[in-house]
Amino acid sequence: MKKLTPYFLGLASMCAIACQPQSDQKASDGKLSEAEIEARINEILPQLSIEEKSAMCHAQSKFSTPGVARLGIPELWWSDGPHGVRAEINWNDWGYAGWNNDSCTAFPALSALAATFNPDLAYIYGVALGEESRYRKKNVILGPGVNIYRTPLNGRNFEYMGEDPFLASTLVVPYIHGVQSTGTATSVKHYALNNQEDDRMGVNVQVSERALRELYLPAFKAAVVDGGAWTIMGSYNRYNNQHCCHNEILLMDILKKEWNFDGVVVSDWGGVHDTKEAARFGLDVEMGSFTNGLDAQLGNFSWDDYNLAKPYINAIKKGELPVADLDDKARRILRLNFRTNNGWGPGRMTCPDHMKTAHDVAQEAVTLLKNEGAVLPLDPAKKLTIAVIGENATRTLVKAGGSSELKPKYEIAPLDGIRNEFPNANIEYATGYTSGPAFYGFAPAPKEDQAKLKAEAVELAQKADLVIYVGGLNKNYQQDCEGGDRTAYELPFNQDALISALADVNKNMVVVLASGNAYSMPWIDKVPAVVQAWYLGSESGNVVAEVLCGKINPSGKLPFSFPVKLEDSAPHSFNDPMVYPGVDHQEIYKEDILVGYRWHDTKGIKPLFPFGFGLSYTTFDVKDIKVSNTASNINVSANIANTGNVNGAEVLQVYVGKVDSKVARAQKELKGFQKLAVNKGASANANISIPVESLKFYNEETKAWELEKGKYVVYVGTSSADILSTTEIEL
C-alpha cells in the first residue's frame, strides 16, 4: 500500500501539503476542486482504522471532534450560533472559558433577518458571519434555523425565519452561500419538525406527509439542493416514532437519497439515543451525548462511551453492523474537513464592515405596525420632555436565550440611542417593571416592588410631553428562550396593564417592543404608534432611535401573523392538548397545511396584523399591475411610485390560490416577492416570475408532486391581507 504524506497541516495551514499543485489539480485559485477532494478521500479512507473512523464520528469536547494525528487530519471545531459566534466554552462543561479575545459582532436574530424580505441582505449577513467564524478558527457555525413558526409560544421562534416556507427558503439560500463563501460550513437546523421547546426531547410529531412536504421541509430542501449546505443538524423531537437525529425517513430516505445530500449530519447536543439507529439511519457526527442539551454531562461517562464510539466499534467487530456505513460517515467527515480547510482566508472579527452589516440588517428589519396621526417620526430638534419607560430600554438582549446567546464587543441600548439622537430633549427614565435575571430551566421572580415601579413610571409619564415605552420579551426562560415555551400569549411581567396605565395619563405615546414572537395587544386602541423592534443585536439602540427620529424609514414586514388572541392561532384553536403541546409525548398537527396566514385567510379569522404587513413614513402607489402566464411561468409586473416626502422601500408580494382544487388547500400561498427601494417622487418597476412547478401539491397517494390544471387566482399586494389586485388565470 502506498505510504501517504499528511493530508492536512491544521486549520490555519491552508492544506499546504494536500493542496500542492499536481497534475490532477485544475483550480486556478489554488483550492482543491470537488473532484480532487474526492480523489484525496479515496486515498485516505483505506489508511484509516475502524477506531480512527469511529473517533471522527463523535465529540472529544463540547464543541470539537477528533482528527487523525498520524495522517495530519485536523480536528473539526463547531460553534453556536445563527446570529453571532458564541464565546468559547470549556472543554467538558457548559461554562464559559473566560477568554478576553472572543467577543463578536451581534447580528440581528434570524426572525429580524426574515422581516427584511431582502435576499441580497441575507447574503451580506452570511459573509460577515462566516468571516467572524473563520477568524475564530471554526469549521462549522451552527445555523441557520429554518423551522416553521407554528405557534407563537415556541421559545425558539426568534431564531427562525417565520411561518412561510417560501420566505424561509428564499432567504436561507443566500445566507448559506454567504457563510460558505468564507470556508465556514453552515449547519442548517433543526431537521425537522422542531416547532416547540416544551417536551422537545420526547415529543413524537404526528403530521401528514403532505404538510411535512409542503410546509416543514421546503426550507431544508432549498438549503441542501440550492444552498449546498455542508452540514445539517438533526432535531431533538421524534417523527414516526424515531428520534430525528437518527430517523430513517428524514435522514436516509429524504435527505441523503432523495435530495442527494453529500454533507455531514450532526446531532443536536444530547439528541442521540440508540447506537444501531445512529449507525444505520443517517447520523454522521454525535455531539453532546449524556446531556439534555443544556446541562453538564450526565453520569460517569467518557467520550469513548458515545453511541458512535466503543459501542459502535464493538457492534461492527461482532458483525452486527456493517463497516460500509462507517466508511460513508468517514467519507462525509473528510469531505467537510477538506471543504473547510481549502485555502480560505483568515477571516475578520468585529470590524467596521461587520458593524455596518449588523446596522443595515437591523434598519431593514424594524417593522412599523401603527402610526396613527403620523406621530412618527419624531422631531429631534424639539425641546421636549421625553419619558423613556421599560426595562428593555436598558437591558441586554443578546446575552441570553439559550445556545444563541452572545458576548458582543458592544451593544447599544435603546435609552443610549435615544439620548444620542435627541440632544435637545430632557430625557428621563423609569424602569416600569423588572423581569429578573435570565436562567435556563426556571424563571426567577423579580425582587423589586413592581407596584412601586409602575407608580413611578405613571407619574413620570404624566409630566412628560412624550412617552417612549420600550418593552416586550427579553429571552428569559419561558419567553424567547431555548428549553421552554412561553406560558402565555400576553406580554409578561404585567406589561399590558402598565402600557394601558401610561396611555391613560399620556396619549402622546410610542410603544417599541422587542421580540421574536407575536403577542397580544389589548391596549392597541389606546396608543397611536407601535414599533416591532425584534432582537437587533449590537446596533439595536442606534437603529431604534434612528427609526424614531426619522433617520431610518422603516421597511420591515412581518414574517409571521399576529393573531388577536392565542385561540386564533391554528394549533391553539382546537383547545386540545394533543395538538399542542402534546400528551404522553404524542402530538398531532391537526391544523395540517393551514399554519399562520394560511389558517387566518382560509378560516376567515382576521389577525391583529397580517403576515407581510409593515408601514412606512412615506406612501406608495402600486399601479399598472399586470399578470400573464405561460406553460412554465406566471409573470407579474407593477410600477411602484413613492408619493410621499421621504425615500423608502416597499415589498410587493404575490400569492397564488387554486380555484376548485380536488384537495384541501389554503386560500392563497406566497409564491413571490420583491423589495424595491424608491426615492421620494420616483418610481420603480417590479418584475416577479413564478415557476408553475411551484404550484404543485404533494399527493400522498402517489407519493409525488402533482400540478393541477385549471383556474388559479393570482393575488398581488403588500401583505397577505392588503391585496391590491386579483387575476384569474388558466393553467
Side-chain angles (χ1 to χ4, degrees), residues 325-344:
D325 290 339
L326 178 59
D327 287 342
D328 180 68
K329 299 179 196 301
R331 175 177 292 276
R332 291 169 180 273
I333 294 165
L334 289 170
R335 187 179 292 134
L336 175 63
N337 217 321
F338 269 112
R339 283 172 167 171
T340 58
N341 289 291
N342 196 12
W344 303 101

Side-chain angles (χ1 to χ4, degrees), residues 215-401:
L215 289 182
Y216 298 106
L217 293 189
F220 288 104
K221 182 178 181 181
V224 170
V225 175
D226 301 320
W230 290 342
T231 84
I232 294 286
M233 181 191 286
S235 60
Y236 284 129
N237 52 283
R238 293 180 292 156
Y239 167 66
N240 200 39
N241 294 306
Q242 279 186 329
H243 279 93
C244 292
C245 286
H246 34 87
N247 188 287
E248 185 174 15
I249 293 174
L250 293 176
L251 299 181
M252 296 301 296
D253 296 344
I254 297 176
L255 180 65
K256 291 188 172 180
K257 294 178 182 178
E258 184 179 325
W259 298 347
N260 296 313
F261 176 62
D262 68 356
V264 167
V265 175
V266 61
S267 73
D268 205 340
W269 271 232
V272 183
H273 305 272
D274 183 270
T275 294
K276 291 187 177 179
E277 285 193 1
R280 297 307 310 274
F281 297 152
L283 183 69
D284 299 309
V285 173
E286 176 185 6
M287 300 297 288
S289 287
F290 316 119
T291 80
N292 63 6
L294 291 177
D295 297 330
Q297 189 162 295
L298 306 177
N300 187 26
F301 295 101
S302 71
W303 311 110
D304 288 335
D305 294 316
Y306 272 40
N307 290 278
L308 293 183
K310 283 183 178 178
Y312 191 17
I313 295 170
N314 293 338
I316 290 175
K317 290 183 175 180
K318 291 177 182 178
E320 297 172 354
L321 291 170
V323 72
D325 290 339
L326 178 59
D327 287 342
D328 180 68
K329 299 179 196 301
R331 175 177 292 276
R332 291 169 180 273
I333 294 165
L334 289 170
R335 187 179 292 134
L336 175 63
N337 217 321
F338 269 112
R339 283 172 167 171
T340 58
N341 289 291
N342 196 12
W344 303 101
R348 299 184 296 163
M349 197 78 178
T350 58
C351 58
D353 285 351
H354 295 176
M355 305 304 179
K356 182 179 184 303
T357 295
H359 186 279
D360 289 349
V361 175
Q363 75 173 23
E364 287 203 32
V366 173
T367 308
L368 182 61
L369 297 181
K370 185 177 181 181
N371 194 21
E372 193 174 80
V375 171
L376 294 174
L378 305 170
D379 184 353
K382 284 187 176 180
K383 295 182 178 180
L384 301 173
T385 296
I386 300 177
V388 178
I389 296 169
E391 188 186 53
N392 280 356
T394 59
R395 183 186 180 98
T396 176
L397 295 177
V398 303
K399 296 181 181 179

Side-chain angles (χ1 to χ4, degrees), residues 110-137:
L110 294 193
S111 52
L113 176 62
T116 70
F117 274 66
N118 189 336
D120 294 335
L121 206 52
Y123 177 81
I124 296 168
Y125 184 120
V127 171
L129 178 60
E131 288 180 340
E132 299 228 340
S133 306
R134 197 80 211 159
Y135 183 83
R136 289 272 299 280
K137 297 180 171 59

Side-chain angles (χ1 to χ4, degrees), residues 664-714:
R665 291 200 189 221
Q667 182 192 75
K668 59 182 182 289
E669 299 175 349
L670 182 69
K671 294 298 179 183
F673 63 85
Q674 186 177 0
K675 188 170 193 176
L676 289 173
V678 188
N679 290 338
K680 61 181 179 179
S683 64
N685 293 321
N687 292 282
I688 299 171
S689 182
I690 299 168
V692 168
E693 290 282 305
S694 70
L695 306 183
K696 290 181 175 180
F697 75 93
Y698 187 79
N699 190 320
E700 294 181 328
E701 294 181 0
T702 62
K703 306 294 183 184
W705 291 91
E706 182 177 316
L707 179 66
E708 279 192 276
K709 295 180 180 180
K711 295 179 180 179
Y712 288 77
V713 177
V714 179

Side-chain angles (χ1 to χ4, degrees), residues 150-153 566-576 579-580:
R150 177 180 180 244
T151 164
L153 300 186
L566 185 62
E567 293 74 21
D568 290 347
S569 176
H572 302 280
S573 66
F574 299 96
N575 193 27
D576 182 353
V579 182
Y580 176 87

Side-chain angles (χ1 to χ4, degrees), residues 7-20 25 27-33 36-37 40 74 134 139 180-184 230 335-347:
Y7 292 91
F8 301 84
L9 290 181
L11 294 175
S13 71
M14 299 166 63
C15 302
I17 289 179
C19 298
Q20 287 296 321
Q25 295 183 354
S28 61
D29 60 0
K31 294 183 174 66
L32 290 174
S33 69
E36 292 158 354
I37 287 174
R40 293 301 175 89
R134 197 80 211 159
N139 298 80
Q180 293 187 173
S181 73
T182 70
T184 302
W230 290 342
R335 187 179 292 134
L336 175 63
N337 217 321
F338 269 112
R339 283 172 167 171
T340 58
N341 289 291
N342 196 12
W344 303 101

Side-chain angles (χ1 to χ4, degrees), residues 80-113:
D80 291 314
H83 46 264
V85 189
R86 193 178 186 182
E88 293 300 321
I89 300 294
N90 289 332
W91 187 264
N92 192 25
D93 64 54
W94 288 104
Y96 283 103
W99 291 15
N100 60 9
N101 63 346
D102 59 348
S103 296
C104 70
T105 304
F107 298 99
L110 294 193
S111 52
L113 176 62

